[in-house]
Amino acid sequence: MSTNQPPSANPEVAFMAIGSAWRWTRRVLFEPMSPGKWCVLGFAAWLAALMDSGPPHASFNWRLRGPVKSGVHAIEKLRRVVPEWIESWQEYLPTIIAAAIVLFLLLVFVGLVILWISSRAKFVFLDDVARDRADIERPWREFGDLGQSLFLWRLGFGLFVLLLVGAVSAGGNLAILATRHRPAPYICTIAGLVLLSVALLGILAVVTVLTRDFVTAIMYVRRI
C-alpha cells in the first residue's frame, strides 16, 4: 500500500472490504447452511425494512386542459358536489365523521407501532449479521434504547416531511390559482414548483438513505 495515499483513497482497500464482506456473508449463510437461521434472519430483515419505502413526496397534477390546470377544475367541481353530498347525507353525517376520525386515529396508531417495531428491528438484524447468529429476543432487549432513539428521530423527521409537503402543496396550489389566467406567470409557477419539488425530494431522499444505511450502523457500533 502506498504511503502517500490515505487508506480510503487506495483501491486495494475497497477490494479488501468487498472480499471481507463476501467471506462473511458466505460464512453467515452457508457455513453451515441452516434453513432455520435463514428464516430468522429473513424475518428480522423484513421487520427492519418496514416503513422503508422512502420519504413522502408532494404530488402535483400538471396535466393541462386548455390554459387551466386540471386540478383547478377538480377543486371547482368539489365545491359544487360537496354541499349536495352533505345535504343528502346530513342525517348520517355525525356518524360518518366519528367513524372517519376513529379510522384515522387507528391508522396513525398502527403506523406508529410499525415504525417503532421497524426501528428496533434494524438493530436486531444488524446484530444478527455482525455476530453470525439468529436471535430475536436478546438483541431486541439489548438495543432497546438505540431503537427508541431511532424511532423518535424517524417520527420527528416524518412529521417534518409531512408539514413540508403540506406547505409546498398548499403554496403551489395557491400560486397556480393566482396565475392560472396569465400564461407567462403560470408557466413560471409550474416550472418553479417542479424544480422545488425535485430539490426537496433529493434532500429528503439523501437524509433517508444516510439514516438507514450509515447512521444506524454507527449507532450500533458505537452504542450511541
Side-chain angles (χ1 to χ4, degrees):
M1 183 181 296
S2 173
T3 57
N4 296 326
Q5 286 183 305
S8 59
N10 196 306
E12 295 180 7
V13 176
F15 287 112
M16 290 171 59
I18 294 172
S20 177
W22 168 248
R23 288 191 296 272
W24 186 255
T25 301
R26 184 178 59 192
R27 172 180 169 180
V28 170
L29 297 179
F30 302 106
E31 297 178 2
M33 181 177 177
S34 170
K37 184 179 182 181
W38 278 40
C39 289
V40 173
L41 289 175
F43 179 65
W46 176 73
L47 289 178
L50 294 174
M51 303 294 286
D52 273 353
S53 59
H57 59 277
S59 178
F60 295 100
N61 181 7
W62 287 302
R63 291 177 298 172
L64 301 180
R65 294 178 182 175
V68 183
K69 182 176 176 287
S70 60
V72 174
H73 288 295
I75 294 174
E76 293 176 350
K77 184 177 180 180
L78 284 176
R79 288 176 179 173
R80 296 192 303 268
V81 172
V82 170
E84 298 175 1
W85 182 86
I86 292 177
E87 184 178 354
S88 60
W89 289 85
Q90 189 169 10
E91 181 181 354
Y92 307 100
L93 196 58
T95 303
I96 294 174
I97 293 176
I101 293 174
V102 170
L103 180 60
F104 173 76
L105 294 177
L106 180 62
L107 291 175
V108 170
F109 174 76
V110 171
L112 290 176
V113 171
I114 293 176
L115 184 65
W116 178 74
I117 292 174
S118 170
S119 299
R120 296 191 65 168
K122 288 185 183 298
F123 295 100
V124 174
F125 180 65
L126 273 174
D127 189 67
D128 284 349
V129 171
R131 297 180 182 274
D132 186 17
R133 54 188 172 194
D135 189 3
I136 300 292
E137 183 179 357
R138 183 198 57 77
W140 180 271
R141 295 195 310 268
E142 182 177 347
F143 299 100
D145 291 342
L146 296 182
Q148 186 74 5
S149 178
L150 181 62
F151 163 72
L152 293 175
W153 155 254
R154 295 173 75 192
L155 176 61
F157 180 66
L159 292 175
F160 168 76
V161 170
L162 288 177
L163 291 175
L164 184 62
V165 169
V168 172
S169 298
N173 282 303
L174 288 176
I176 289 172
L177 288 171
T179 60
R180 57 178 176 166
H181 297 303
R182 293 176 291 170
Y186 180 78
I187 294 174
C188 291
T189 299
I190 294 296
L193 287 173
V194 171
L195 294 176
L196 179 61
S197 298
V198 170
L200 290 177
L201 287 175
I203 294 172
L204 297 177
V206 168
V207 174
T208 300
V209 171
L210 289 177
T211 301
R212 182 187 63 209
D213 296 339
F214 294 95
V215 174
T216 305
I218 295 172
M219 292 174 66
Y220 170 78
V221 171
R222 302 199 175 190
R223 300 296 196 271
I224 54 174

